[in-house]
Amino acid sequence: MSHVLSVTQLRKNYGDTVAVDGVSFQVGRNEIVGLLGPNGAGKTTTINMILGVLEPTAGDIRIEGLDAATHRARAMERTNFAAVYAPLPGNLTVFQNLRIFGLLYGVPNLAERIETLIAHFDLEPFRRVKCGLLSSGEQTRVGLAKALLNRPVLLLLDEPTASLDPATARDVRRKIRSFAADGSGGVLWTSHNMYEVEEVCDRVLFLSHGKILLEGDPKTLPRDHGKKTLEDLFVAVAREPLTLGAA
Ligand code: ATP
């Protein structure tokens, strides 16, 4: 099984609003796929359906070949997630949060795994600090440590570096790249930072009005469409999705 995630004809309607309009894509092992698109394009809705937080209106989601609708628990054992809008419980310390999520995931040798992640994300000074008292960047690092607890085969990251200073963001990008390269997992990554996307992602999907308009290597895709940079391409897709094919 080479794909850790396979999404087919996924759709989500909110009343008359079509938030996700029949998207199909895969994430391979050791691959980082960027899910890009302007505000309201349907990125978070897509991620929430993969996580089982939202029920799709139609379509199929498979995680390591497991149908997420019918084998949800087994599919979620293999998945994890981090986003700034989903902070960990603020009244628990860093250690308590990692322990509770580790127990929920049934992580083997949990004590050792927690120590490894505390060291990996430079969280030692905050081990006994309640998460609600941490800065947003520190909370992001705890969220990433939590996201790696169960060694997921599918890691979903919704703007993982949004609240990080440049040095920490660079370090986090390096860590996620080595997560993808070293293990058997794949990553679906959303970001509005095109410099970051070009540096981190092996492949990008451009989403606009719930549809995938473009897919390819972020290093060659702009040139293929007559644009100088990924940011120029992003702006063109966001503003004039229908004329892009003519570029
Ligand atoms: P952003 O970059 O701003 O986070 P996004 O690409 O993640 O945007 P979504 O949050 O997935 O976009 O939203 C897709 C569309 O669905 C938007 O038009 C949004 O207004 C709509 N939408 C999202 N959630 C709901 C909801 N609960 N009820 C109705 N409409 C919704």
Side-chain angles (χ1 to χ4, degrees):
M1 172 62 56
S2 57
H3 294 142
V4 295
L5 173 66
S6 188
V7 167
T8 311
Q9 286 299 313
L10 191 64
R11 186 179 176 89
K12 182 69 185 176
N13 299 348
Y14 294 109
D16 292 339
T17 305
V18 183
V20 175
D21 192 2
V23 305
S24 299
F25 65 91
Q26 287 86 34
V27 177
R29 285 192 196 283
N30 308 112
E31 188 180 35
I32 303 181
V33 175
L35 187 60
L36 315 182
N39 295 133
K43 303 177 299 292
T44 303
T45 304
T46 301
I47 285 186
N48 281 336
M49 287 191 281
I50 296 166
L51 284 169
V53 175
L54 281 176
E55 193 178 342
T57 304
D60 186 71
I61 298 167
R62 284 173 193 272
I63 296 168
E64 258 196 339
L66 290 165
D67 185 333
T70 54
H71 295 84
R72 177 148 187 235
R74 285 173 63 205
M76 287 305 111
E77 274 172 17
R78 294 160 164 75
T79 305
N80 214 320
F81 162 74
V84 276
Y85 55 78
L88 300 178
N91 57 341
L92 299 180
T93 67
V94 169
F95 181 84
Q96 286 168 337
N97 261 306
L98 293 177
R99 183 165 157 71
I100 284 177
F101 279 94
L103 290 171
L104 286 172
Y105 276 102
V107 174
N109 303 320
L110 179 56
E112 194 183 323
R113 183 75 183 138
I114 291 173
E115 293 313 314
T116 302
L117 289 167
I118 281 180
H120 194 56
F121 286 98
D122 301 319
L123 293 169
E124 185 56 41
F126 312 112
R127 157 193 299 271
R128 290 181 192 81
V129 178
K130 289 186 177 179
C131 283
L133 300 177
L134 297 175
S135 76
S136 57
E138 290 155 2
Q139 288 192 36
T140 297
R141 276 154 47 205
V142 185
L144 288 165
K146 169 258 161 190
L148 295 186
L149 265 171
N150 60 327
R151 298 182 171 88
V153 296
L154 174 62
L155 180 58
L156 302 163
L157 300 174
D158 203 349
E159 299 191 48
T161 58
S163 60
L164 299 177
D165 66 63
T168 311
R170 180 183 291 178
D171 185 49
V172 163
R173 288 196 289 272
R174 194 171 48 76
K175 286 184 164 76
I176 301 300
R177 278 215 72 92
S178 70
F179 162 82
D182 299 345
S184 57
V187 181
L188 185 64
W189 176 305
T190 80
S191 174
H192 289 296
N193 177 339
M194 295 302 117
Y195 159 78
E196 164 174 296
V197 165
E198 210 172 314
E199 187 190 306
V200 171
C201 297
D202 301 302
R203 193 155 55 87
V204 293
L205 311 167
F206 270 102
L207 207 61
S208 177
H209 299 287
K211 289 187 198 299
I212 294 175
L213 293 189
L214 284 177
E215 178 173 351
D217 180 337
K219 293 188 173 59
T220 56
L221 204 57
R223 216 172 38 243
D224 295 346
H225 290 273
K227 303 291 175 207
K228 275 200 187 122
T229 65
L230 197 62
E231 190 164 285
D232 290 345
L233 181 61
F234 182 98
V235 171
V237 177
R239 283 202 186 138
E240 302 173 77
L242 298 178
T243 61
L244 190 80

